[in-house]
Amino acid sequence: MPLDRLDSEIVALLVDDARRSYAELGQRVGLSASAVKRRVDRLRAAGAITGFTVRLDPAALGWTVEGYVELYCRNSTAPAVIRAAVDRFPEVVDASTVSGDADAVLRILATDMRHFEQVLEQIGAQPFVARTKSVLVLSPLLRRPSTPPPP
């Protein structure tokens, strides 16, 4: 759904802090609290806003190892099969099918290297997996939540 300037500003403010009140949002964008609520309700109904959440620091929660794993599948494996297989691992925090040589890329968080290796072994043992290729994150340089493109 296309967002106008006010919708974009409201969404950006909510992305920054989803606990902002409608009154605070309205004050920041020049609308009444009820007008902001109507816009947020409309954005939720249209599926542009799917929920409200918190952002966590993985290291503060004990996830000290982060890696990206490329999955190479045997034959043709449906995305739903890949999703069902990796969904059971809480360590897999992102999974996407991709273009290029790999069939999918996973982002994995683990408590330590042994834990990462165990998860990688379990994923690699899935019947559709031909091989994996992993890289470990040394220093995250930029982490940015999604925001709407400019109107």
Side-chain angles (χ1 to χ4, degrees):
M1 93 177 262
L3 305 183
D4 66 16
R5 181 189 58 79
L6 288 172
D7 288 340
S8 293
E9 288 180 27
I10 291 167
V11 169
L13 288 166
L14 288 171
V15 166
D16 182 56
D17 183 359
R19 295 184 63 184
R20 284 191 163 107
S21 69
Y22 294 130
E24 180 184 348
L25 292 168
Q27 183 179 27
R28 300 280 296 266
V29 300
L31 293 174
S32 68
S34 59
V36 170
K37 181 184 183 319
R38 283 191 301 274
R39 283 177 174 263
V40 170
D41 288 346
R42 181 178 46 77
L43 291 165
R44 289 186 75 194
I49 295 176
T50 59
F52 300 88
T53 188
V54 298
R55 288 188 301 274
L56 304 171
D57 177 359
L61 299 173
W63 300 108
T64 63
V65 175
E66 176 181 1
Y68 290 88
V69 175
E70 293 181 347
L71 279 184
Y72 298 83
C73 299
R74 301 181 201 286
N75 304 319
S76 178
T77 304
V81 171
I82 298 170
R83 184 186 193 287
V86 301
D87 188 45
R88 66 184 187 96
F89 297 98
E91 298 88 351
V92 177
V93 295
D94 289 307
S96 300
T97 56
V98 295
S99 63
D101 294 334
D103 295 292
V105 173
L106 313 177
R107 179 172 164 242
I108 295 177
L109 298 178
T111 56
D112 56 33
M113 283 304 298
R114 180 67 192 132
H115 182 203
F116 183 85
E117 184 179 22
Q118 289 170 340
V119 173
L120 188 58
E121 287 172 357
Q122 292 174 16
I123 291 170
Q126 299 299 308
F128 62 87
V129 176
R131 69 183 176 97
T132 62
K133 179 180 174 184
S134 57
V135 293
L136 296 174
V137 173
L138 300 177
S139 298
L141 300 176
L142 179 66
R143 298 288 166 98
R144 183 181 299 161
S146 300
T147 57

